[in-house]
Amino acid sequence: MASVDHLKSRKGAFRIALIPPEVLGALNGGLLETVNLNEFLALELPLLARSVAGHVGLDAAHERLEDTLAMLAAFKPMQRHSHIARALYDMTAAHAERDAVAHRLATHASDVARCWAVQWITLSDLPLAEQLVAVRRFAADSHFGVREFAWMAVRDSVIGSLDEALALLQPWVADADPNVRRFASELTRPRGVWCAQIDALKAEPWLALPLLEPLRADGHRYVQNSVANWLNDASKTQPEWVETLCTRWVAESPTAETRYIAKRALRTLTKSTP
C-alpha cells in the first residue's frame, strides 16, 4: 500500500472540482482524514464503505452492505452515513471478534469511519452512563467532525435523562482536555445546531450551572465559544437570567476570558437593544 503521509499536511481545496485525484482516491480508500467540508461532500460513500469494511475485518461484498449502498441515493446526505453505520453494525452480529471489529472502526484512519463508530453507541442500547463512557474517546478525537458526531449521538439520551446527564457530566468540565470540556457544554446547549432542543434547559437554564460555572474563565477559545453559545441559546428564552449571570461572572472573574464569553453570550440581546 502506497504511503499517503505526504498528503496529510495538505490544505483542502476550496472547490470540490479542485480536489486532486490522488487525494480523492486516498479519501475513498479510507487512508486519509478529510480536512474540510468540500472533501467530506466529495466522498464516494460506496467506495469508502467497502474499503472500511475490509479494513476492519468485515466482508466488503456482504449482502447487507450492498443492499444499503444500492439505496443510498434515496436518502439525504447525512442520513446516508447513519444507514452505512447501521449496516456495518448489523454485519457484526454474528462476528466472532465483534469487539475487535468495533475497536478497529473506532481507531480507523478515516474520520468518517470513526463517525460511523460513534453511531454504533446509539445502536447498542446502552444506558446513559455507559454511553458517555463509550463516547468519551470520540469527544476527545483530534478531528472536529468526529467530535460533532459524538455529542449529537448521545443528545437524545441526555434529553431523556437530563438530571442524570447533568450529574454525570460534572467531572467532564474539569477534564484536562479542552475537547472533553467543550463536549459537556456543547452536548447540553438548550437549542444547539442540527439537533433536538432541550426544552427543560430553555425554560430553566440555571439547572446547568454546575457545568457552566467551572467554564466561565476557561483558557481555551474552543470552550469559551461553546459556553458563550450555550448562554446565547438561553438568552432567547431567559434573557434577564443570562444578563444577570454574565454581570456576576465579569464582576467575580474580571479576566479577558470571562469578558469574551459574556460579550459573545449577550450578542443577540445587544443587537435587539435600540
Side-chain angles (χ1 to χ4, degrees):
M1 185 180 297
S3 172
V4 296
D5 287 347
H6 63 292
L7 300 176
K8 292 180 180 179
S9 59
R10 72 193 181 284
K11 292 184 178 179
F14 66 91
R15 289 210 311 267
I16 290 176
L18 297 178
I19 299 174
E22 183 183 17
V23 170
L24 193 56
L27 289 170
N28 289 326
L31 306 178
L32 277 180
E33 293 185 342
T34 62
V35 297
N36 64 11
L37 181 61
N38 284 332
E39 289 190 352
F40 181 82
L41 295 175
L43 289 168
E44 295 183 51
L45 290 182
L47 293 179
L48 178 59
R50 294 186 186 104
S51 296
V52 169
H55 295 164
V56 301
L58 297 174
D59 180 6
H62 195 285
E63 183 180 6
R64 176 68 178 85
L65 181 60
E66 287 301 313
D67 286 347
T68 295
L69 298 179
M71 297 187 299
L72 280 188
F75 300 107
K76 294 179 180 179
M78 293 307 295
Q79 291 177 331
R80 295 169 191 171
H81 291 275
S82 297
H83 285 287
I84 292 173
R86 181 71 200 226
L88 295 174
Y89 180 82
D90 289 349
M91 288 162 61
T92 67
H95 200 285
E97 298 181 343
R98 193 176 195 183
D99 289 346
V101 172
H103 177 74
R104 287 193 285 268
L105 190 64
T107 57
H108 199 276
S110 168
D111 58 292
V112 177
R114 300 199 300 278
C115 289
W116 296 340
V118 171
Q119 295 178 71
W120 282 23
I121 295 171
T122 59
L123 297 173
S124 299
D125 199 28
L126 295 169
L128 177 61
E130 292 181 37
Q131 285 189 45
L132 289 176
V133 170
V135 83
R136 190 189 184 286
R137 71 188 304 164
F138 303 108
D141 197 273
S142 60
H143 195 281
F144 174 82
V146 178
R147 298 195 298 270
E148 292 301 288
F149 266 82
W151 70 259
M152 287 190 286
V154 295
R155 174 89 167 183
D156 287 345
S157 296
V158 164
I159 293 172
S161 302
L162 184 60
D163 290 343
E164 180 187 8
L166 294 175
L168 289 170
L169 288 168
Q170 286 186 35
W172 293 54
V173 297
D175 198 274
D177 187 338
N179 290 335
V180 173
R181 300 196 302 275
R182 188 260 187 181
F183 174 91
S185 171
E186 201 69 16
L187 172 61
T188 57
R189 280 179 58 179
R191 293 175 180 269
V193 181
W194 303 320
C195 62
Q197 299 186 7
I198 305 180
D199 291 335
L201 294 180
K202 287 166 60 179
E204 300 180 291
W206 44 85
L207 295 175
L209 271 178
L211 300 185
L212 300 174
E213 288 281 2
L215 302 177
R216 69 182 186 180
D218 197 279
H220 202 285
R221 187 53 58 92
Y222 191 49
V223 182
Q224 294 167 18
N225 284 336
S226 182
V227 175
N229 290 338
W230 200 113
L231 293 174
N232 185 255
D233 283 355
S235 75
K236 295 166 186 175
T237 48
Q238 293 289 353
E240 292 182 3
W241 178 79
V242 173
E243 286 184 307
T244 300
L245 178 68
C246 288
T247 298
R248 175 171 67 80
W249 277 9
V250 171
E252 294 176 355
S253 174
T255 66
E257 293 81 5
T258 304
R259 287 192 294 271
Y260 174 85
I261 291 172
K263 181 178 180 180
R264 185 171 176 83
L266 296 170
R267 65 188 185 275
T268 300
L269 297 180
T270 302
K271 286 180 182 179
S272 63
T273 302

XYZ file of all heavy atoms in Angstrom, residues 60-147:
692
model
N -16.524 -6.972 2.533
C -16.835 -5.760 1.766
C -17.936 -5.986 0.742
O -18.539 -5.018 0.258
C -15.577 -5.247 1.074
N -18.206 -7.246 0.409
C -19.250 -7.556 -0.567
C -20.479 -8.163 0.099
O -21.321 -8.766 -0.568
C -18.703 -8.513 -1.621
N -20.601 -7.987 1.399
C -21.715 -8.568 2.147
C -23.053 -8.040 1.620
O -23.198 -6.863 1.289
C -21.567 -8.215 3.628
C -22.427 -9.031 4.540
N -23.777 -8.831 4.662
C -22.112 -10.069 5.384
C -24.266 -9.682 5.549
N -23.288 -10.452 5.992
N -24.053 -8.933 1.549
C -25.359 -8.555 1.010
C -25.988 -7.401 1.786
O -26.611 -6.516 1.197
C -26.289 -9.770 1.034
C -27.658 -9.493 0.433
C -28.557 -10.723 0.463
O -28.150 -11.748 1.053
O -29.678 -10.643 -0.096
N -25.808 -7.408 3.118
C -26.399 -6.338 3.947
C -25.840 -4.980 3.554
O -26.581 -3.992 3.451
C -26.114 -6.627 5.429
C -26.598 -5.542 6.390
C -28.111 -5.474 6.445
N -28.577 -4.465 7.393
C -28.720 -3.177 7.114
N -28.441 -2.734 5.887
N -29.162 -2.334 8.027
N -24.544 -4.911 3.336
C -23.912 -3.654 2.952
C -24.298 -3.269 1.530
O -24.612 -2.104 1.254
C -22.392 -3.770 3.084
C -21.591 -2.513 2.732
C -21.991 -1.349 3.633
C -20.088 -2.774 2.864
N -24.276 -4.236 0.623
C -24.600 -3.930 -0.770
C -26.033 -3.422 -0.911
O -26.302 -2.502 -1.694
C -24.373 -5.169 -1.639
C -22.907 -5.497 -1.870
C -22.150 -4.365 -2.543
O -22.646 -3.811 -3.545
O -21.070 -3.998 -2.042
N -26.960 -4.002 -0.149
C -28.352 -3.527 -0.204
C -28.442 -2.071 0.247
O -29.179 -1.262 -0.335
C -29.237 -4.403 0.682
C -29.505 -5.775 0.069
O -29.218 -5.948 -1.126
O -29.994 -6.671 0.790
N -27.706 -1.753 1.301
C -27.712 -0.381 1.816
C -27.113 0.591 0.803
O -27.672 1.657 0.539
C -26.930 -0.302 3.136
O -27.616 -1.076 4.122
C -26.800 1.135 3.618
N -25.990 0.227 0.234
C -25.327 1.106 -0.717
C -26.184 1.331 -1.964
O -26.157 2.419 -2.555
C -23.962 0.532 -1.107
C -22.958 0.377 0.052
C -21.645 -0.218 -0.464
C -22.723 1.703 0.745
N -26.955 0.334 -2.329
C -27.816 0.466 -3.510
C -28.936 1.472 -3.276
O -29.469 2.055 -4.236
C -28.404 -0.888 -3.877
N -29.280 1.708 -2.007
C -30.387 2.616 -1.684
C -29.924 4.001 -1.238
O -30.758 4.863 -0.965
C -31.246 2.009 -0.570
C -31.923 0.711 -0.939
S -33.078 0.169 0.367
C -31.951 -0.024 1.755
N -28.636 4.242 -1.161
C -28.125 5.488 -0.582
C -28.692 6.737 -1.238
O -28.992 7.726 -0.559
C -26.595 5.527 -0.658
C -25.803 4.750 0.388
C -24.333 5.095 0.247
C -26.304 5.021 1.793
N -28.826 6.723 -2.540
C -29.265 7.926 -3.264
C -30.649 8.390 -2.840
O -31.013 9.557 -3.040
C -29.230 7.674 -4.759
N -31.427 7.500 -2.230
C -32.782 7.860 -1.827
C -32.816 8.650 -0.523
O -33.866 9.179 -0.157
C -33.631 6.598 -1.674
N -31.668 8.751 0.135
C -31.623 9.409 1.436
C -30.873 10.734 1.367
O -30.059 10.966 0.473
C -30.936 8.502 2.461
C -31.628 7.180 2.657
C -31.077 6.011 2.155
C -32.834 7.108 3.333
C -31.713 4.795 2.317
C -33.485 5.897 3.511
C -32.923 4.737 3.000
N -31.159 11.602 2.340
C -30.424 12.854 2.464
C -28.975 12.539 2.816
O -28.685 11.487 3.400
C -31.066 13.734 3.534
C -32.470 14.205 3.170
C -33.068 15.057 4.274
C -34.479 15.514 3.902
N -35.093 16.338 4.976
N -28.046 13.459 2.490
C -26.619 13.180 2.691
C -26.242 12.663 4.079
O -25.533 11.656 4.194
C -25.958 14.529 2.381
C -26.863 15.131 1.355
C -28.247 14.733 1.772
N -26.698 13.310 5.147
C -26.307 12.865 6.480
C -26.972 11.550 6.861
O -26.403 10.747 7.617
C -26.633 13.951 7.511
C -25.805 15.212 7.345
S -24.011 14.912 7.286
C -23.722 14.287 8.940
N -28.179 11.304 6.332
C -28.855 10.036 6.609
C -28.090 8.866 6.006
O -28.140 7.742 6.539
C -30.275 10.068 6.043
C -31.211 11.017 6.765
C -32.583 11.070 6.114
O -32.718 10.857 4.901
N -33.607 11.346 6.902
N -27.368 9.111 4.934
C -26.609 8.044 4.296
C -25.568 7.475 5.247
O -25.333 6.265 5.279
C -25.946 8.574 3.016
C -26.950 8.984 1.955
C -26.309 9.744 0.806
N -27.328 10.347 -0.047
C -27.085 11.204 -1.028
N -25.831 11.573 -1.280
N -28.080 11.695 -1.741
N -24.969 8.339 6.028
C -23.961 7.872 6.985
C -24.598 6.986 8.056
O -24.022 5.974 8.466
C -23.253 9.070 7.622
C -22.379 9.810 6.664
N -21.079 9.439 6.394
C -22.623 10.900 5.886
C -20.559 10.255 5.501
N -21.473 11.151 5.171
N -25.771 7.371 8.504
C -26.464 6.566 9.521
C -26.797 5.179 8.985
O -26.665 4.178 9.704
C -27.750 7.270 9.966
O -27.459 8.502 10.577
N -27.204 5.102 7.723
C -27.554 3.810 7.146
C -26.318 2.930 6.958
O -26.381 1.705 7.174
C -28.283 4.011 5.818
C -29.702 4.461 5.979
N -30.703 3.625 6.422
C -30.293 5.670 5.789
C -31.845 4.284 6.485
N -31.620 5.535 6.114
N -25.212 3.531 6.567
C -23.972 2.748 6.438
C -23.520 2.251 7.805
O -23.138 1.077 7.963
C -22.871 3.584 5.763
C -23.219 3.847 4.311
C -21.512 2.866 5.866
C -22.280 4.812 3.610
N -23.570 3.125 8.799
C -23.179 2.719 10.154
C -24.033 1.549 10.629
O -23.531 0.597 11.229
C -23.312 3.896 11.111
N -25.332 1.627 10.361
C -26.244 0.554 10.770
C -25.926 -0.753 10.052
O -25.940 -1.837 10.651
C -27.687 0.965 10.486
C -28.703 -0.081 10.906
C -28.767 -0.142 12.413
N -29.329 -1.370 12.899
C -30.262 -1.407 13.858
N -30.745 -0.280 14.359
N -30.691 -2.553 14.305
N -25.623 -0.666 8.766
C -25.297 -1.878 8.012
C -24.040 -2.545 8.562
O -24.008 -3.768 8.774
C -25.112 -1.530 6.530
N -23.017 -1.752 8.811
C -21.781 -2.309 9.367
C -22.025 -2.916 10.743
O -21.491 -3.980 11.071
C -20.705 -1.214 9.444
C -20.230 -0.644 8.101
C -19.283 0.528 8.337
C -19.547 -1.726 7.263
N -22.841 -2.240 11.540
C -23.167 -2.740 12.877
C -23.893 -4.087 12.777
O -23.561 -5.048 13.484
C -24.032 -1.722 13.601
C -24.433 -2.121 14.996
C -23.567 -1.931 16.077
C -25.687 -2.683 15.249
C -23.930 -2.288 17.361
C -26.062 -3.040 16.531
C -25.180 -2.844 17.584
O -25.558 -3.209 18.855
N -24.869 -4.168 11.905
C -25.625 -5.410 11.737
C -24.729 -6.545 11.261
O -24.935 -7.711 11.629
C -26.771 -5.205 10.743
C -27.892 -4.338 11.298
O -27.881 -4.060 12.514
O -28.758 -3.906 10.499
N -23.732 -6.219 10.459
C -22.829 -7.245 9.937
C -21.955 -7.873 11.024
O -21.396 -8.943 10.831
C -21.950 -6.647 8.837
C -22.695 -6.355 7.542
S -21.816 -5.197 6.449
C -20.295 -6.089 6.128
N -21.853 -7.209 12.157
C -21.024 -7.760 13.240
C -21.818 -8.669 14.170
O -21.244 -9.256 15.089
C -20.410 -6.632 14.098
O -21.461 -5.951 14.820
C -19.652 -5.641 13.242
N -23.120 -8.777 13.959
C -23.976 -9.511 14.896
C -23.474 -10.924 15.161
O -23.487 -11.395 16.313
C -25.410 -9.546 14.365
N -23.034 -11.604 14.129
C -22.573 -12.983 14.297
C -21.054 -13.091 14.167
O -20.525 -14.194 13.988
C -23.256 -13.881 13.272
N -20.368 -11.948 14.257
C -18.915 -11.963 14.078
C -18.228 -12.482 15.335
O -18.568 -12.087 16.457
C -18.412 -10.555 13.761
C -17.067 -10.529 13.107
N -15.901 -10.761 13.803
C -16.703 -10.309 11.808
C -14.874 -10.675 12.965
N -15.338 -10.402 11.758
N -17.269 -13.358 15.155
C -16.585 -13.977 16.293
C -15.741 -12.985 17.083
O -15.464 -13.205 18.268
C -15.695 -15.127 15.804
N -15.335 -11.885 16.440
C -14.481 -10.893 17.105
C -15.138 -9.517 17.015
O -14.553 -8.551 16.539
C -13.094 -10.864 16.476
C -12.338 -12.188 16.602
C -10.955 -12.118 15.991
O -10.700 -11.182 15.199
O -10.131 -12.993 16.307
N -16.357 -9.430 17.498
C -17.130 -8.200 17.368
C -16.441 -7.016 18.037
O -16.405 -5.918 17.489
C -18.518 -8.390 17.969
C -19.500 -7.291 17.608
C -20.883 -7.581 18.150
N -21.873 -6.724 17.503
C -23.157 -6.715 17.826
N -23.618 -7.513 18.769
N -23.991 -5.904 17.192
N -15.904 -7.227 19.233
C -15.234 -6.131 19.947
C -14.002 -5.648 19.189
O -13.710 -4.444 19.166
C -14.840 -6.578 21.355
C -16.043 -6.736 22.274
O -17.129 -6.248 21.914
O -15.893 -7.355 23.348
N -13.284 -6.571 18.578
C -12.086 -6.201 17.816
C -12.471 -5.383 16.589
O -11.794 -4.416 16.229
C -11.315 -7.452 17.402
N -13.565 -5.765 15.946
C -14.053 -5.003 14.794
C -14.425 -3.588 15.229
O -14.077 -2.598 14.568
C -15.265 -5.700 14.150
C -15.887 -4.805 13.074
C -14.850 -7.032 13.542
N -15.130 -3.485 16.358
C -15.535 -2.171 16.869
C -14.317 -1.307 17.170
O -14.305 -0.105 16.886
C -16.388 -2.343 18.124
N -13.291 -1.909 17.742
C -12.070 -1.153 18.064
C -11.385 -0.668 16.790
O -10.934 0.483 16.725
C -11.112 -2.018 18.875
C -9.814 -1.334 19.175
N -9.703 -0.324 20.106
C -8.563 -1.489 18.646
C -8.457 0.097 20.155
N -7.757 -0.585 19.272
N -11.319 -1.521 15.786
C -10.669 -1.110 14.537
C -11.439 0.022 13.863
O -10.823 0.922 13.277
C -10.544 -2.328 13.597
C -9.477 -3.333 14.027
C -9.168 -4.333 12.937
N -10.212 -5.333 12.775
C -10.243 -6.510 13.396
N -9.277 -6.838 14.254
N -11.218 -7.375 13.161
N -12.753 -0.014 13.952
C -13.541 1.068 13.369
C -13.345 2.369 14.158
O -13.212 3.442 13.574
C -15.023 0.688 13.350
C -15.948 1.622 12.559
C -15.586 1.621 11.076
C -17.413 1.218 12.742
N -13.306 2.268 15.480
C -13.167 3.453 16.336
C -11.802 4.105 16.217
O -11.647 5.279 16.548
C -13.439 3.075 17.792
N -10.820 3.364 15.750
C -9.451 3.894 15.633
C -9.015 3.988 14.167
O -7.826 4.109 13.877
C -8.466 3.007 16.403
O -8.549 1.645 15.920
C -8.776 3.010 17.894
N -9.963 3.951 13.263
C -9.669 3.937 11.835
C -9.015 5.241 11.393
O -9.248 6.301 11.977
C -10.956 3.713 11.044
C -10.730 3.239 9.643
N -10.464 4.093 8.592
C -10.712 1.989 9.118
C -10.301 3.402 7.486
N -10.452 2.114 7.764
N -8.224 5.167 10.345
C -7.544 6.360 9.818
C -8.522 7.371 9.240
O -8.250 8.580 9.240
C -6.539 5.952 8.744
N -9.663 6.911 8.766
C -10.666 7.809 8.183
C -11.532 8.408 9.277
O -12.115 7.686 10.094
C -11.550 7.037 7.193
O -12.685 7.802 6.832
N -11.651 9.730 9.292
C -12.539 10.375 10.264
C -13.983 9.950 10.055
O -14.752 9.822 11.020
C -12.423 11.900 10.164
C -12.753 12.432 8.767
O -11.961 12.144 7.843
O -13.776 13.122 8.598
N -14.366 9.701 8.811
C -15.741 9.297 8.528
C -16.011 7.910 9.099
O -17.093 7.655 9.652
C -16.015 9.333 7.008
C -17.423 8.851 6.702
C -15.811 10.747 6.480
N -15.058 7.022 9.014
C -15.215 5.700 9.620
C -15.398 5.825 11.130
O -16.224 5.121 11.729
C -14.005 4.828 9.300
N -14.657 6.726 11.749
C -14.806 6.922 13.194
C -16.173 7.523 13.511
O -16.756 7.229 14.555
C -13.672 7.799 13.741
C -12.284 7.184 13.521
C -11.209 7.768 14.416
N -10.997 9.182 14.279
C -10.258 9.754 13.331
N -9.653 9.018 12.404
N -10.088 11.071 13.295
N -16.692 8.364 12.611
C -18.055 8.872 12.792
C -19.062 7.732 12.760
O -20.051 7.741 13.508
C -18.387 9.897 11.707
S -17.518 11.478 11.877
N -18.843 6.760 11.901
C -19.737 5.592 11.871
C -19.629 4.821 13.183
O -20.637 4.346 13.710
C -19.384 4.696 10.689
C -19.597 5.342 9.352
C -20.394 6.424 9.068
C -19.003 4.965 8.105
N -20.331 6.742 7.736
C -19.490 5.872 7.106
C -18.114 3.971 7.719
C -19.108 5.786 5.768
C -17.734 3.875 6.386
C -18.221 4.782 5.417
N -18.420 4.740 13.718
C -18.238 4.052 15.001
C -19.003 4.761 16.115
O -19.551 4.112 17.017
C -16.746 3.973 15.342
N -19.022 6.087 16.073
C -19.786 6.848 17.067
C -21.246 6.406 17.057
O -21.866 6.208 18.106
C -19.708 8.370 16.769
C -20.682 9.133 17.657
C -18.292 8.891 16.989
N -21.787 6.224 15.875
C -23.202 5.888 15.759
C -23.519 4.488 16.268
O -24.675 4.184 16.586
C -23.654 6.082 14.310
C -23.579 7.547 13.881
C -23.979 7.768 12.448
O -25.145 7.663 12.078
N -23.010 8.079 11.599
N -22.506 3.654 16.378
C -22.722 2.331 16.963
C -23.160 2.444 18.424
O -23.839 1.568 18.947
C -21.447 1.496 16.868
C -21.194 0.917 15.514
C -21.683 1.367 14.313
C -20.389 -0.221 15.208
N -21.215 0.582 13.286
C -20.414 -0.394 13.793
C -19.615 -1.088 15.968
C -19.728 -1.422 13.154
C -18.921 -2.117 15.335
C -18.975 -2.284 13.938
N -22.743 3.513 19.089
C -23.096 3.691 20.505
C -24.606 3.766 20.662
O -25.189 3.144 21.556
C -22.419 4.952 21.069
C -20.898 4.786 21.060
C -22.911 5.241 22.495
C -20.135 6.048 21.384
N -25.257 4.503 19.806
C -26.709 4.635 19.912
C -27.420 3.355 19.490
O -28.556 3.112 19.912
C -27.213 5.804 19.048
O -26.848 5.572 17.678
C -26.585 7.110 19.494
N -26.765 2.533 18.685
C -27.370 1.278 18.239
C -27.239 0.179 19.288
O -27.939 -0.833 19.209
C -26.714 0.821 16.933
C -26.884 1.751 15.728
C -26.043 1.271 14.559
C -28.346 1.838 15.324
N -26.360 0.386 20.253
C -26.058 -0.659 21.234
C -27.038 -0.702 22.395
O -26.953 -1.594 23.242
C -24.640 -0.452 21.778
O -23.686 -0.545 20.739
N -27.943 0.277 22.474
C -28.970 0.316 23.517
C -28.364 0.294 24.925
O -28.878 -0.359 25.834
C -29.941 -0.857 23.344
C -31.256 -0.629 24.078
O -31.639 0.541 24.261
O -31.899 -1.618 24.480
N -27.289 1.038 25.106
C -26.635 1.120 26.414
C -27.335 2.154 27.284
O -27.898 3.123 26.777
C -25.168 1.539 26.241
C -24.237 0.588 25.500
C -22.913 1.292 25.199
C -23.987 -0.668 26.324
N -27.295 1.989 28.616
C -27.799 3.054 29.489
C -26.917 4.291 29.344
O -25.766 4.204 28.887
C -27.708 2.443 30.886
C -26.733 1.324 30.762
C -26.829 0.820 29.371
N -27.434 5.436 29.770
C -26.738 6.703 29.545
C -25.321 6.708 30.086
O -24.391 7.167 29.413
C -27.539 7.853 30.172
C -26.889 9.234 30.068
C -26.691 9.635 28.616
C -27.728 10.271 30.804
N -25.125 6.221 31.291
C -23.789 6.244 31.893
C -22.781 5.495 31.025
O -21.643 5.949 30.827
C -23.827 5.647 33.297
N -23.194 4.373 30.465
C -22.293 3.591 29.620
C -22.113 4.244 28.254
O -21.044 4.145 27.642
C -22.823 2.165 29.476
C -22.767 1.363 30.781
C -23.264 -0.053 30.606
O -23.001 -0.651 29.542
O -23.915 -0.571 31.534
N -23.144 4.919 27.770
C -22.996 5.659 26.512
C -21.933 6.743 26.653
O -21.104 6.951 25.750
C -24.323 6.301 26.110
C -25.349 5.338 25.561
C -26.555 6.066 24.974
O -26.394 7.041 24.242
N -27.749 5.614 25.301
N -21.939 7.436 27.778
C -20.961 8.511 27.982
C -19.548 7.947 28.100
O -18.587 8.542 27.588
C -21.330 9.328 29.222
C -22.574 10.199 29.076
C -22.916 10.888 30.394
C -22.401 11.237 27.968
N -19.414 6.812 28.749
C -18.091 6.165 28.819
C -17.616 5.815 27.410
O -16.454 6.049 27.047
C -18.149 4.900 29.702
C -16.856 4.100 29.576
C -18.380 5.270 31.160
N -18.514 5.262 26.608
C -18.149 4.836 25.258
C -17.846 6.011 24.338
O -16.991 5.917 23.454
C -19.273 3.992 24.671
N -18.550 7.135 24.531
C -18.401 8.259 23.612
C -17.200 9.137 23.939
O -16.780 9.959 23.115
C -19.691 9.114 23.597
C -19.733 10.105 24.749
C -19.858 9.834 22.258
N -16.602 8.965 25.107
C -15.542 9.882 25.526
C -14.365 9.915 24.551
O -13.819 10.973 24.265
C -15.042 9.538 26.927
C -14.113 10.612 27.489
C -13.433 10.196 28.766
N -12.648 11.278 29.314
C -11.481 11.698 28.829
N -10.963 11.108 27.766
N -10.833 12.709 29.380
N -13.959 8.765 24.046
C -12.824 8.732 23.127
C -13.111 9.569 21.878
O -12.213 10.171 21.289
C -12.490 7.293 22.736
C -13.513 6.638 21.804
C -13.250 5.150 21.588
N -11.910 4.934 21.079
C -11.289 3.753 21.092
N -11.895 2.702 21.612
N -10.091 3.625 20.590
N -14.375 9.608 21.470
C -14.749 10.387 20.281
C -14.897 11.867 20.620
O -14.635 12.729 19.787
C -16.037 9.839 19.690
C -15.956 8.380 19.322
C -16.623 7.422 20.075
C -15.195 7.960 18.246
C -16.545 6.077 19.757
C -15.102 6.615 17.912
C -15.785 5.668 18.671
N -15.303 12.156 21.848
C -15.368 13.550 22.299
C -13.981 14.174 22.312
O -13.832 15.387 22.146
C -15.985 13.622 23.696
N -12.966 13.350 22.516
C -11.578 13.822 22.569
C -10.841 13.623 21.248
O -9.630 13.858 21.175
C -10.838 13.091 23.683
N -11.553 13.208 20.215
C -10.916 12.910 18.927
C -10.215 14.144 18.366
O -10.639 15.287 18.593
C -11.967 12.415 17.938
C -11.368 11.714 16.732
O -11.025 12.406 15.748
O -11.231 10.481 16.768
N -9.175 13.915 17.600
C -8.413 15.024 17.018
C -9.152 15.705 15.871
O -8.803 16.814 15.477
C -7.059 14.512 16.502
O -7.250 13.510 15.505
N -10.182 15.053 15.346
C -10.900 15.599 14.186
C -12.204 16.249 14.614
O -13.031 15.643 15.305
C -11.179 14.492 13.169
C -11.584 14.999 11.820
N -12.861 15.432 11.540
C -10.870 15.163 10.665
C -12.925 15.828 10.281
N -11.735 15.669 9.729
N -12.412 17.487 14.168
C -13.603 18.243 14.534
C -14.888 17.506 14.166
O -15.850 17.467 14.949
C -13.574 19.610 13.839
C -14.813 20.423 14.038
C -14.990 21.157 15.193
C -15.810 20.455 13.076
C -16.138 21.921 15.393
C -16.968 21.214 13.264
C -17.137 21.940 14.425
N -14.936 16.905 13.001
C -16.143 16.235 12.570
C -16.545 15.090 13.474
O -17.728 14.887 13.760
N -15.572 14.329 13.924
C -15.860 13.210 14.828
C -16.406 13.741 16.148
O -17.353 13.186 16.719
C -14.596 12.357 15.072
C -14.898 11.218 16.047
C -14.067 11.801 13.752
N -15.835 14.839 16.630
C -16.305 15.419 17.891
C -17.755 15.895 17.764
O -18.532 15.801 18.718
C -15.393 16.571 18.319
C -13.956 16.141 18.587
C -13.168 17.195 19.351
N -13.038 18.447 18.644
C -12.039 18.752 17.809
N -11.092 17.856 17.551
N -11.970 19.946 17.234
